[in-house]
Amino acid sequence: MPMVSVCVIDGQGGGIGATLIKYVKTIFGESLEVIALGTNAIATAQMIKAGANRGASGESAICYTAPRVDFILGPIAVTWANAMLGEVTPKIAEAVISSPAVKILLPFSKERVKIVGIVKEPLPHLGQEALEKLKEMIPHV
């Protein structure tokens, strides 16, 4: 049985992605392959430093990898064209949302978008909630 792959996508400073990777590694250890995909090299470096198994940066890497993983974790803005000060290109947004991977997205955005019906929680709480969803979907690991 192939190893389950989890892709964490983030941009700008990579702080959300790094936090998610730390949580994934704490709960799952090396039983999952964690791939860090940054919209820029700084974000990727932060996520690799947090413990990702592999990492790559930029539109091509994200578009190539997104359809090949089992799960995608990251802020919801990775599905919005031109989000993160333009770092999320239309091709990145399309690749992420079109991927057959299960997407577990955190409702963080600096864009002028307000998502209703969601309780505002700090990153540590949302990160833990995201990992609970992941654990529900991967009970055998």
Side-chain angles (χ1 to χ4, degrees):
M1 186 167 168
M3 184 177 275
V4 173
S5 57
V6 175
C7 171
V8 179
I9 304 176
D10 198 6
Q12 298 189 306
I16 293 170
T19 299
L20 289 171
I21 288 170
K22 287 177 189 174
Y23 287 154
V24 169
K25 288 297 191 169
T26 299
I27 292 173
F28 294 101
E30 294 303 316
S31 62
L32 302 177
E33 179 183 32
V34 179
I35 303 166
L37 295 177
T39 59
N40 65 66
I42 293 170
T44 304
Q46 284 301 106
M47 292 187 286
I48 289 173
K49 189 176 175 181
N53 299 96
R54 298 187 292 150
S57 304
E59 179 181 89
S60 181
I62 295 169
C63 291
Y64 175 82
T65 307
R68 292 169 171 79
V69 296
D70 299 304
F71 294 89
I72 294 174
L73 276 67
I76 195 168
V78 300
T79 65
W80 300 341
N82 303 312
M84 296 184 194
L85 297 174
E87 288 185 21
V88 179
T89 66
K91 286 182 181 179
I92 289 173
E94 181 180 5
V96 172
I97 208 66
S98 298
S99 170
V102 174
K103 294 143 211 66
I104 301 174
L105 304 172
L106 281 64
F108 282 130
S109 168
K110 293 183 180 176
E111 312 308 317
R112 294 182 53 97
V113 175
K114 303 297 177 206
I115 302 172
V116 297
I118 295 176
V119 178
K120 187 171 173 89
E121 292 282 345
L123 177 57
H125 295 173
L126 290 173
Q128 290 169 353
E129 191 174 328
L131 268 285
E132 287 303 316
K133 280 285 180 217
L134 190 59
K135 283 187 343 189
E136 289 172 16
M137 302 188 85
I138 312 176
H140 65 280
V141 177

